Amino acid sequence: MPTVVLLDSSLSMTRPVSVEGSEEFQRKNLAVHGMTMLFEHMATNYRLEFTSLVAFSSLWELLVPFSRDYNTLQVVLVTDGALGIGRGSLRHSLQTVKQRVDDKKFPLPFPFPSKLYVMCIANAEELQATDSMDNLEQLINLNGGEGQIYTMEGPLCLKSVQSMFGKLIDQAYSPFHAVLRCGNLTSDVQVFPRPEPVTIDEEVDPIPKTVQTDLEIVGFIEIGDISSPPVLSRHLVLPIAVSKEGDEIGTGATDDTEEETSTNQMAGKSPNFCVLLHGSLKVEGMVALVQLGPDWFGMLYSQADSKKKSNLMMSLFDPGSEPLPWLGRMSQLGPASDAAENPYGEDDSKSPFPIQPKHKRSYAQNVTVWIKASGLQTDVQKILRNAKKLPEKTQTFYKELNRLRKAALAFGFWELLKSVAELLERECTLLPDSAHPDAAFQLSHAAQQLKLASSGDSKYAAFEQNITPMLTDFSGGGGADRI
């Protein structure tokens, strides 16, 4: 996840702070010290991280641009929390956030997934003495609650700013080290970027699921069988090279100018399982299914960045025992050699996937879906056309009426039922003198039943219930209304 660092360069950042020694420090000096600490950490542990530095006050300047385009960002705002006064200030902007026209919208929420971290070169007491803390919290809320505000503890000094930026590093920039296993083969790896915890909304008491540091390969499958599955996130897997003394000496990170595969870089001259796996998956056109935790799986595969560079990638599936329905339950997958006959055929001409369900499902059901207003209008007009041809079209009229009724009840579209009832009542008043007497009875009866269903009363709004034609003396019945 690339990082944009926004440095507040307004006049308030030049306020002096008391620091031991004779050297005079300003708040911007503390900010630069903290940013240097962050950049040095990223240069050592997040070598594939791309950063951009922007300085701003009433205007802004891009000091260090990105070298790539991204859809997801982390934004680190370094400021003293002074909101400014008058038009253009943060205080005024937040006060008028709902009054802005479309071409001058407030930048938050960002039009891309992001996290906003606010690093305050001030302590909490100073910010709470004014409305600064409330306004900064409003920034986080405008970003969907994704982010956090950090403040300095104690006096404003180098030690305090180091502590504050250290907390940010621990929260958002700590490397994720894991052990990749396949049978007796293992490799120390770094997963980049760090996998985020996942919460399943369907659970009653959802508990965030985290990727374990022990990644177990449970099998291999052809790319064609797994196709392009839906995934939560994608991550780069880099081997961690270890010296003969057992010290970590780096990861397989490279920049764009190198031609070798990044997985091979700095893995050391000694054999490395991660390099072997990457090369094998690339040559054989397969993916490795990996267990991330209890009832949670993902896949490892080779992905080419360019003609001469490729990476070992890991994609995370949705938690659950059956994340890819066409593969069936993950726990029921096994070696092809265990099958009575080769599931791929003697010449690899067939595939056991997708798994066929035990019960064949019918997709021929007449399901009503209104994506556009024209679709709903067509269905209503069909009912009205049949209404004008009563009693000859009685069966068709009630068939279309019940189809619309069921769809409206399924969507909770009570107003539609009431409106169609009013249309039928109007049609009844417009019937010509030459109309069959049964037409008026059927229209009034249908309108009444729709009104009863629109009330939401379970007695009349049951989904399985149908509106049946009214039996009258004109239709050959005894005049009873059998509903």
Side-chain angles (χ1 to χ4, degrees):
M1 187 181 292
T3 299
V4 180
V5 179
L6 305 177
L7 174 61
D8 184 353
S9 59
S10 59
L11 186 62
S12 62
M13 287 288 284
T14 63
R15 288 180 290 170
V17 294
S18 300
V19 179
E20 295 181 359
S22 58
E23 187 176 0
E24 182 178 331
F25 272 81
Q26 298 175 346
R27 297 194 181 215
K28 69 176 182 180
N29 299 127
L30 296 179
V32 170
H33 183 77
M35 290 189 302
T36 302
M37 176 182 172
L38 174 62
F39 291 144
E40 288 178 349
H41 172 82
M42 293 167 65
T44 303
N45 299 281
Y46 267 46
R47 295 178 60 186
L48 294 180
E49 183 74 80
F50 285 83
T51 58
S52 175
L53 178 60
V54 178
F56 73 94
S57 55
S58 57
L59 301 175
W60 60 272
E61 180 182 2
L62 179 62
L63 302 181
V64 181
F66 280 130
S67 59
R68 293 182 179 177
D69 293 330
Y70 292 96
N71 296 322
T72 305
L73 295 177
Q74 269 182 273
V75 181
V76 179
L77 170 61
V78 185
T79 179
D80 61 347
L83 304 178
I85 56 175
R87 295 180 60 87
S89 65
L90 180 58
R91 179 183 285 107
H92 179 267
S93 297
L94 290 174
Q95 290 173 348
T96 59
V97 67
K98 295 182 179 180
Q99 304 168 12
R100 291 173 168 243
V101 294
D102 290 342
D103 59 340
K104 292 184 179 180
K105 283 187 175 180
F106 193 71
L108 290 173
F110 293 121
F112 47 80
S114 65
K115 291 190 176 182
L116 174 62
Y117 296 104
V118 182
M119 313 302 292
C120 295
I121 310 299
N123 53 46
E125 292 76 14
E126 181 182 352
L127 297 174
Q128 291 170 350
T130 61
D131 60 346
S132 296
M133 181 63 81
D134 292 337
N135 282 272
L136 294 176
E137 288 176 348
Q138 188 176 350
L139 287 180
I140 303 296
N141 293 333
L142 286 173
N143 198 46
E146 293 291 337
Q148 190 172 339
I149 299 173
Y150 293 87
T151 60
M152 298 177 64
E153 297 179 358
L156 305 187
C157 60
L158 296 178
K159 184 178 179 180
S160 296
V161 79
Q162 287 175 351
S163 175
M164 181 177 67
F165 273 85
K167 292 178 181 178
L168 171 66
I169 290 172
D170 292 339
Q171 172 73 18
Y173 295 99
S174 57
F176 185 87
H177 291 165
V179 178
L180 183 61
R181 303 180 184 277
C182 183
N184 295 323
L185 300 174
T186 63
S187 178
D188 293 322
V189 297
Q190 178 180 345
V191 179
F192 178 89
R194 186 181 185 90
E196 295 286 338
V198 176
T199 302
I200 303 177
D201 294 334
E202 289 79 8
E203 294 182 350
V204 178
D205 295 318
I207 300 176
K209 292 181 177 290
T210 57
V211 176
Q212 295 180 348
T213 56
D214 201 11
L215 305 176
E216 181 77 25
I217 294 177
V218 296
F220 300 87
I221 192 170
E222 294 185 3
I223 290 179
D225 289 333
I226 206 162
S227 189
S228 300
V231 298
L232 293 174
S233 56
R234 296 177 176 84
H235 307 265
L236 184 63
V237 179
L238 301 171
I240 298 176
V242 180
S243 67
K244 292 182 179 180
E245 292 75 19
D247 298 327
E248 181 182 318
I249 60 175
T251 62
T254 62
D255 56 39
D256 293 340
T257 61
E258 300 184 20
E259 296 185 353
E260 300 181 36
T261 61
S262 63
T263 306
N264 293 337
Q265 292 296 306
M266 296 185 67
K269 295 183 179 180
S270 59
N272 188 286
F273 166 61
C274 189
V275 176
L276 172 65
L277 175 67
H278 177 222
S280 302
L281 296 177
K282 182 179 179 181
V283 172
E284 297 297 331
M286 301 187 77
V287 302
L289 295 177
V290 58
Q291 186 156 14
L292 311 172
D295 219 17
W296 193 11
F297 299 87
M299 67 177 183
L300 294 165
Y301 56 97
S302 175
Q303 184 180 62
D305 257 3
S306 61
K307 292 183 179 180
K308 297 183 179 180
K309 182 182 176 184
S310 61
N311 303 298
L312 181 62
M313 304 294 295
M314 181 173 71
S315 291
L316 277 55
F317 301 148
D318 285 314
S321 59
E322 198 173 348
L324 309 180
W326 61 92
L327 295 184
R329 287 184 174 273
M330 289 290 182
S331 58
Q332 295 180 353
L333 295 176
S337 58
D338 288 355
E341 59 182 32
N342 190 343
Y344 290 94
E346 297 301 326
D347 54 354
D348 289 341
S349 59
K350 61 180 184 178
S351 171
F353 306 106
I355 297 292
Q356 297 299 321
K358 294 181 179 180
H359 304 287
K360 188 175 181 180
R361 298 174 181 175
S362 173
Y363 294 94
Q365 295 179 358
N366 188 16
V367 179
T368 303
V369 178
W370 297 311
I371 299 177
K372 296 181 179 179
S374 57
L376 174 57
Q377 184 179 6
T378 299
D379 286 346
V380 173
Q381 288 175 342
K382 194 180 297 184
I383 293 173
L384 295 179
R385 282 199 303 270
N386 286 298
K388 294 179 184 296
K389 298 178 182 179
L390 291 173
E392 291 81 6
K393 293 289 185 178
T394 298
Q395 297 302 322
T396 307
F397 169 75
Y398 279 100
K399 177 184 175 182
E400 295 298 332
L401 187 71
N402 283 311
R403 187 167 70 88
L404 180 137
R405 174 185 177 276
K406 285 189 175 184
L409 291 175
F411 300 144
F413 201 168
W414 316 111
E415 295 83 358
L416 174 63
L417 297 175
K418 187 175 181 180
S419 297
V420 174
E422 292 173 352
L423 287 175
L424 295 180
E425 289 177 339
R426 181 175 179 273
E427 286 295 321
C428 187
T429 60
L430 296 176
L431 287 174
D433 295 337
S434 60
H436 194 286
D438 196 39
F441 285 109
Q442 299 298 342
L443 289 175
S444 299
H445 166 65
Q448 180 189 15
Q449 294 302 312
L450 288 181
K451 284 186 176 180
L452 291 173
S454 69
S455 66
D457 189 337
S458 59
K459 181 179 179 181
Y460 304 102
F463 182 80
E464 299 81 8
Q465 181 180 343
N466 284 324
I467 301 176
T468 58
M470 184 180 188
L471 297 180
T472 66
D473 293 337
F474 302 100
S475 58
D481 183 3
R482 300 180 184 176
I483 301 176

